[in-house]
Amino acid sequence: MQQLKLGIPKGSLEKATISLFQQAGWNITSRSRNYFPFIDDPDISCALVRSQEMAPYVANGTLDLGLTGHDWILETQADVEEICELTYSKSSDQPCRWVLVVPQDSPIQRIEDLEGKTISTELVEFTKRHLVKKGINAKVEFSWGATEAKVVEGLVDAVVEITETGSTIKAHGLRIVCDLLHTETRLIASKTAVNNPVKRKKINQIATLLQASLKARQKVALKMNIPADRLDELVKMLPSLHAPTVSHLFDPKWFALETIVNSKEVRNLIPQLMEAGAEGILEYELRKMV
């Protein structure tokens, strides 16, 4: 088949994206000083592209498929097909936020206070449109980097910056006024590729396995042995997709039980299971969950 041209976001999301693809079943190997990583699938070719430029390249057909933030789709207003949402980042699985940031002692307390002010950001067009919708007349300048420093040094009145937790912003002595946009990674495709049945099938395969990999990150499997006389009690304690898998052991006084639970529940659940008589409890990670 004609190769599917896949864009991998270069920069902060690069390692996280390659890791996600590896979990999904594709090994992508970056090459030193090379913008075309190797992927172990003859039906796919890869290119490293900045997230900010991904949507236009997909829209014009240079790439068939790519991963980029919803923020950059909105910024460029590129005409692409959004295949699915993939919430992951370089350090967490939480959506990022574009926030309005000012110095701690700034008189700006709400977005309406930006009237007549100067703002610096990489997300220029989205910010301009957002202010127009609010009826606010302000100057929005493009920032080539070190955006937070501009407001610290008093070069601008405010900045619109991306953050996950806000901790870096606070560490610089700045204050978040409000959120402008919550964003996450999207798998996007060109409309030409989507209308090609062969490429569409490959796109669906990639989307399914990437989503299955992310879903599996939120779950773990638990196995344990439970006494027969405590079976009903223990089963009621265990959340699962439908019902736990229960099987007889050679000893008729014991059962083996297996279930899938949210990973965040395990730290509380295991002590409770032990108190209820469960033994030999095993926890293991999942690779995919469809």
Side-chain angles (χ1 to χ4, degrees):
M1 81 173 239
Q2 184 181 355
Q3 281 190 321
L4 187 80
K5 296 171 290 186
L6 170 66
I8 301 295
K10 180 175 174 58
S12 61
L13 268 180
E14 184 177 339
K15 288 184 179 180
T17 301
I18 290 174
S19 175
L20 178 60
F21 268 86
Q22 183 179 35
Q23 184 179 342
W26 287 275
N27 291 312
I28 299 174
T29 306
S30 297
R31 303 168 181 174
S32 178
R33 299 181 182 179
N34 191 311
Y35 284 88
F36 302 96
F38 171 78
I39 184 168
D40 61 346
D41 188 330
D43 296 331
I44 304 174
S45 63
C46 289
L48 290 176
V49 178
R50 294 176 73 240
S51 294
Q52 295 91 326
E53 300 173 311
M54 188 72 74
Y57 278 128
V58 171
N60 67 24
T62 301
L63 297 169
D64 296 312
L65 191 67
L67 297 97
T68 189
H70 185 52
D71 45 359
W72 298 116
I73 300 171
L74 295 175
E75 173 72 3
T76 60
Q77 294 188 305
D79 186 18
V80 296
E81 189 82 16
E82 296 189 29
I83 304 299
C84 64
E85 178 183 313
L86 300 168
T87 304
Y88 73 99
S89 72
K90 61 183 178 179
S91 61
S92 75
D93 291 330
Q94 300 300 317
C96 292
R97 305 146 56 205
W98 283 91
V99 294
L100 176 64
V101 178
V102 297
Q104 285 287 357
D105 59 357
S106 170
I108 297 171
Q109 299 294 327
R110 54 189 190 137
I111 194 168
E112 288 77 10
D113 296 334
L114 291 175
E115 182 69 30
K117 306 295 185 183
T118 300
I119 304 127
S120 182
T121 182
E122 286 187 78
L123 204 68
V124 173
E125 297 305 320
F126 174 85
T127 302
K128 286 180 178 178
R129 293 194 300 269
H130 189 80
L131 292 175
V132 168
K133 287 180 182 178
K134 295 281 187 179
I136 300 166
N137 182 26
K139 182 180 179 182
V140 182
E141 299 178 343
F142 178 74
S143 173
W144 292 95
T147 306
E148 291 172 358
K150 294 179 174 65
V151 74
V152 171
E153 295 168 4
L155 301 177
V156 295
D157 299 296
V159 298
V160 173
E161 182 66 307
I162 193 167
T163 184
E164 290 184 44
T165 64
S167 57
T168 302
I169 290 171
K170 292 178 182 178
H172 289 165
L174 302 174
R175 171 169 53 84
I176 294 175
V177 175
C178 64
D179 290 12
L180 270 65
L181 173 67
H182 286 203
T183 183
E184 67 291 311
T185 305
R186 300 284 175 93
L187 183 67
I188 59 173
S190 72
K191 300 205 169 182
T192 301
V194 167
N195 291 326
N196 181 316
V198 176
K199 289 188 175 181
R200 177 72 197 202
K201 184 177 181 180
K202 194 68 179 180
I203 290 169
N204 288 340
Q205 177 196 11
I206 292 170
T208 296
L209 293 175
L210 291 180
Q211 288 178 299
S213 299
L214 284 176
K215 188 175 181 181
R217 291 182 178 182
Q218 310 301 320
K219 307 284 185 179
V220 296
L222 288 180
K223 283 186 174 182
M224 67 201 76
N225 294 332
I226 59 176
D229 60 353
R230 308 293 294 276
L231 177 62
D232 291 343
E233 176 187 351
L234 281 157
V235 167
K236 289 179 181 178
M237 293 174 59
L238 290 169
S240 66
L241 286 176
H242 298 293
T245 300
V246 179
S247 55
H248 288 277
L249 295 179
F250 183 76
D251 185 341
K253 294 181 180 180
W254 287 85
F255 286 93
L257 188 148
E258 183 174 0
T259 192
I260 306 297
V261 301
N262 291 327
S263 57
K264 293 182 179 180
E265 297 177 1
V266 173
R267 64 184 182 189
N268 295 323
L269 188 56
I270 287 180
Q272 294 171 7
L273 292 169
M274 292 174 62
E275 290 178 7
E279 296 182 4
I281 301 172
L282 300 177
E283 174 190 346
Y284 55 94
E285 295 180 352
L286 305 175
R287 295 290 293 173
K288 298 175 187 68
M289 191 169 180
V290 181

